[in-house]
């Protein structure tokens, strides 16, 4: 069984020091050896080092070596101060006796349960060392009780480890239910440690969410034979890996991509790539576009596509634009009060937090974040008049000028909609075939150009010089008549 005990920290990601003791015992002499604990310990040690922990690794250690290592670990935590984070990891045999849990060193030899505390290491001793340090964040991981090495001794009839009690501010997680046995694993690592080591590197993932995902992974990996278990009295947050700080542009791209990804609409994906071709989601968007278009051209598209997330109302859009034009705590707080679940809520929360961090600095910005690109001197920009679906368009681009929107969406593409898209996905195809364009769907695209979110896309270079996009925007402004 694996047990995790974590004492909450007010801000563990900014702890002055991260200190870890990692122990893996495989080569037992008098009880059955284990295949994976040494591998598990090395995997955890390497992962913790990448997360900023100062790691001491003990492999196949005796009782004296384990107790000495725990004592040194406690002293290091006390020296590091109250803001330090301590982590203890153990993989190997573990048993419970008289309600207490014991970790077994490789030189353990027991003929009677009464001798256990003389030859083994009580798990509670690690918690005592951490408690004595008075540091805010402590985590203990015990990947033990993969089987009962003393099954022939009557006092060890209980399987697994006993459930441990811990004070407020503690996170406890078991690799399997209390009293059950965890699996050793067949591919070099235990299922629990393998999932734990992989998931703790996820940026910004809270410890509760991380172990929920560990539980899902372990259940799937063991075909339901092992179900991790946890209980929490945490009063503050903890994550192993710090979340990257997102810029306003990154957050905007993330919000729009979530909507596009859920819709699986090739048109919306193309719009995203035009506006955010340099974002962190561009590669994922290109892969999804190729997948969706290949399915559509093969006739396998779903009859009813998942609709994209609904855009902001006119009132919400206006209020958010006002806040961006004159950014202040009052403006963003007012937006969030009116639209706590709005389209721009996450962005507004980040901007509000940034303004509050200035601690009295002038919160008023100099203008909107995004500005339109100035056309090249040689490009004559024609401002569309009243645009309808069936009236000829006025544009500087000959391929657009004089044609109706209805005609354009039935035409054959002259250029790949996204750079690098294979010709088989677009060449000699009708635009309406690729996008399933109808009057309603092209209206949805046109309305997107009215959104502040898509100002980037409107300003991006286009094979038609921006003519079609400006006309579509004018059409949407008139209600797509």
């Amino acid at each position: 069984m694996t047990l995790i005990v974590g004492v909450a920290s007010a801000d563990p990601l900014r702890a002055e020091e991260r200190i870890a003791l990692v122990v893996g015992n495989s080569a037992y002499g008098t009880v059955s050896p284990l295949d994976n604990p040494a591998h598990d310990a090395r995997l955890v040690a390497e992962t913790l080092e990448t997360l900023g922990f100062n790691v001491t690794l003990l492999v196949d250690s005796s009782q004296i070596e384990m107790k000495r290592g725990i004592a040194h670990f406690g002293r290091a935590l006390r020296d590091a101060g109250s803001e330090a984070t301590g982590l203890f990891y153990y993989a190997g045999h573990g048993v419970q006796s008289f309600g207490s849990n014991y970790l077994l060193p490789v030189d353990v030899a027991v003929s009677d349960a009464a001798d256990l505390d003389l030859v083994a290491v009580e798990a509670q001793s690690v918690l005592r060392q951490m408690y004595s340090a008075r540091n805010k964040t402590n985590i203990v991981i015990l990947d033990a009780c993969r089987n009962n090495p003393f099954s022939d001794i009557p006092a060890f009839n209980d399987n697994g480890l006993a459930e441990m009690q811990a004070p407020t501010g503690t996170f406890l997680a078991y690799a399997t239910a209390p009293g059950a046995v965890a699996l050793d694993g067949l591919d070099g690592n235990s299922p629990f440690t393998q999932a734990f080591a992989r998931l703790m590197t996820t940026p910004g993932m809270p410890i509760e969410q991380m172990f929920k995902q560990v539980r899902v992974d372990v259940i799937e990996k063991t075909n339901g034979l092992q179900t991790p278990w946890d209980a929490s009295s945490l009063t503050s947050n903890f994550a192993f890996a710090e979340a990257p700080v997102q810029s306003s542009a990154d957050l905007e791209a993330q919000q729009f991509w979530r909507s596009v990804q859920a819709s699986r609409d090739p048109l919306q994906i193309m719009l995203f790539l035009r506006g955010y071709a340099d974002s962190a989601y561009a590669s994922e968007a290109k892969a999804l576009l190729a997948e969706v278009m290949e399915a559509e051209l093969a006739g396998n598209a779903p009859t009813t596509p998942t609709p994209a997330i609904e855009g902001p109302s006119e009132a919400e859009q206006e209020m958010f634009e006002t806040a961006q034009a004159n950014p202040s705590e009052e403006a963003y707080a007012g937006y969030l009060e009116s639209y706590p679940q709005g389209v721009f809520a996450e962005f507004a929360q980040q901007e509000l937090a940034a303004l509050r961090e200035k601690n009295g600095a002038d919160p008023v910005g100099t203008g909107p974040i995004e500005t339109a690109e100035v056309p090249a001197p040689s490009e004559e920009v024609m401002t569309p008049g009243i645009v309808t679906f069936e009236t000829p368009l006025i544009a500087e681009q000959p391929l657009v000028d004089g044609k109706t929107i209805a005609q354009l969406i039935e035409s054959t593409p002259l250029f790949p909609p996204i750079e690098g898209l294979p010709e088989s996905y677009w060449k000699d195809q009708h635009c309406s075939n690729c996008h399933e364009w109808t009057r309603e769907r092209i209206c949805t695209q046109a309305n997107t150009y009215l959104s502040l979110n898509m100002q980037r896309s409107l300003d991006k270079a286009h094979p038609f010089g921006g003519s079609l996009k400006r006309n579509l925007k004018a059409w949407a402004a008139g209600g797509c008549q």
Side-chain angles (χ1 to χ4, degrees):
M1 176 185 293
T2 302
L3 169 65
I4 286 71
V5 180
V7 180
S9 169
D11 194 357
L13 293 179
R14 295 195 177 103
E16 292 182 358
E17 282 193 68
R18 288 183 159 193
I19 301 169
L21 173 61
V22 177
V23 181
N25 289 340
S26 288
Y28 288 92
T30 61
V31 298
S32 58
L34 296 170
D35 292 332
N36 294 329
H39 302 304
D40 289 334
R42 292 188 179 98
L43 173 62
V44 170
E46 291 170 2
T47 307
L48 289 173
E49 285 180 347
T50 68
L51 297 171
F53 281 84
N54 182 1
V55 180
T56 299
L57 173 63
L58 299 178
V59 175
D60 293 333
S61 49
S62 65
Q63 184 198 38
I64 292 176
E65 291 167 339
M66 286 182 64
K67 288 188 173 182
R68 183 184 296 124
I70 293 170
H72 288 169
F73 174 61
R75 283 196 291 272
L77 280 180
R78 288 188 286 275
D79 292 342
S82 62
E83 297 300 316
T85 296
L87 185 146
F88 175 80
Y89 173 90
Y90 171 80
H93 277 304
V95 296
Q96 62 166 301
S97 178
F98 301 105
S100 296
N101 295 320
Y102 292 89
L103 316 178
L104 304 188
V106 293
D107 61 348
V108 66
V110 176
S111 58
D112 190 285
D115 296 334
L116 191 58
D117 61 344
L118 303 177
V119 296
V121 176
E122 188 181 6
Q124 197 69 28
S125 66
V126 179
L127 295 178
R128 285 194 290 269
Q129 288 291 327
M130 289 175 160
Y131 181 76
S132 72
R134 295 293 194 272
N135 57 307
K136 291 184 178 180
T137 306
N138 284 307
I139 303 166
V140 175
I141 306 171
L142 306 177
D143 194 348
C145 63
R146 303 173 190 219
N147 58 47
N148 183 359
F150 306 121
S151 57
D152 57 338
I153 301 178
F156 293 114
N157 286 335
D158 292 331
N159 288 323
L161 296 180
E163 186 171 5
M164 296 175 66
Q165 300 298 320
T168 300
T170 301
F171 183 83
L172 299 96
Y174 299 84
T176 191
V181 176
L183 302 180
D184 192 32
L186 301 175
D187 52 2
N189 295 108
S190 76
F192 184 86
T193 292
Q194 190 175 57
F196 162 64
R198 176 174 56 82
L199 289 167
M200 69 174 162
T201 62
T202 306
M205 181 178 283
I207 192 170
E208 299 91 345
Q209 182 180 342
M210 187 196 76
F211 279 106
K212 183 182 294 183
Q213 186 58 50
V214 168
R215 177 160 56 248
V216 172
D217 287 6
V218 172
I219 292 172
E220 180 179 352
K221 186 72 176 290
T222 64
N223 295 317
L225 296 177
Q226 181 176 329
T227 301
W229 193 272
D230 61 57
S232 176
S233 61
L234 288 177
T235 57
S236 54
N237 301 325
F238 178 83
F240 283 94
E242 187 170 4
V245 178
Q246 289 185 303
S247 66
S248 298
D250 291 338
L251 189 58
E252 182 182 317
Q254 181 189 65
Q255 288 179 307
F256 188 34
W257 172 238
R258 286 174 179 171
S259 170
V260 170
Q261 187 180 35
S263 75
R264 292 181 64 85
D265 182 346
L267 176 59
Q268 298 299 323
I269 299 171
M270 289 178 190
L271 289 174
F272 174 83
L273 284 169
R274 288 195 183 281
Y276 302 95
D278 56 350
S279 74
Y281 309 97
S283 296
E284 191 176 354
K286 289 178 181 178
L288 182 59
L289 177 62
E291 176 189 333
V292 171
M293 291 188 70
E294 185 172 9
E296 289 196 359
L297 294 175
N300 297 325
T303 55
T304 305
T306 304
I309 296 175
E310 187 176 343
S313 65
E314 184 177 346
E316 179 187 352
Q317 183 76 48
E318 182 178 355
M319 191 171 190
F320 180 73
E321 288 183 6
T322 300
Q324 280 208 311
N326 297 284
S328 66
E329 291 186 38
E330 292 77 10
Y332 283 115
Y335 168 84
L336 289 169
E337 183 176 353
S338 299
Y339 303 99
Q341 303 298 324
V343 173
F344 309 107
E346 189 175 357
F347 176 84
Q349 288 167 355
Q350 187 183 58
E351 292 297 294
L352 180 59
L355 288 170
R356 286 174 174 169
E357 284 181 1
K358 291 182 179 180
N359 294 325
D362 180 10
V364 180
T366 57
I369 292 175
E370 297 290 348
T371 57
E373 294 178 3
V374 179
S378 61
E379 181 182 355
E380 179 187 0
V381 178
M382 296 183 180
T383 303
I386 298 175
V387 177
T388 69
F389 192 65
E390 297 288 351
T391 56
L393 304 180
I394 300 174
E396 67 274 10
Q397 172 53 253
L399 295 172
V400 176
D401 190 42
K403 293 183 175 62
T404 68
I405 296 174
Q407 290 172 330
L408 287 172
I409 67 174
E410 289 295 333
S411 62
T412 299
L414 301 176
F415 311 93
I418 298 299
E419 184 179 354
L421 194 67
E423 287 190 357
S424 60
Y425 293 151
W426 64 271
K427 200 168 184 64
D428 298 326
Q429 300 286 337
H430 289 288
C431 295
S432 57
N433 289 343
C434 292
H435 310 319
E436 296 181 8
W437 271 351
T438 63
R439 181 169 180 161
E440 290 73 22
R441 287 172 67 85
I442 199 68
C443 180
T444 298
Q445 176 187 354
N447 274 285
T448 306
Y449 291 134
L450 291 174
S451 167
L452 180 66
N453 261 19
M454 286 309 300
Q455 184 62 46
R456 282 177 169 217
S457 180
L458 195 64
D459 297 335
K460 288 282 184 179
H462 187 277
F464 288 162
S467 302
L468 180 58
K469 286 194 275 189
R470 285 193 291 276
N471 275 280
L472 289 175
K473 180 178 179 180
W475 179 52
C480 295
Q481 299 300 313

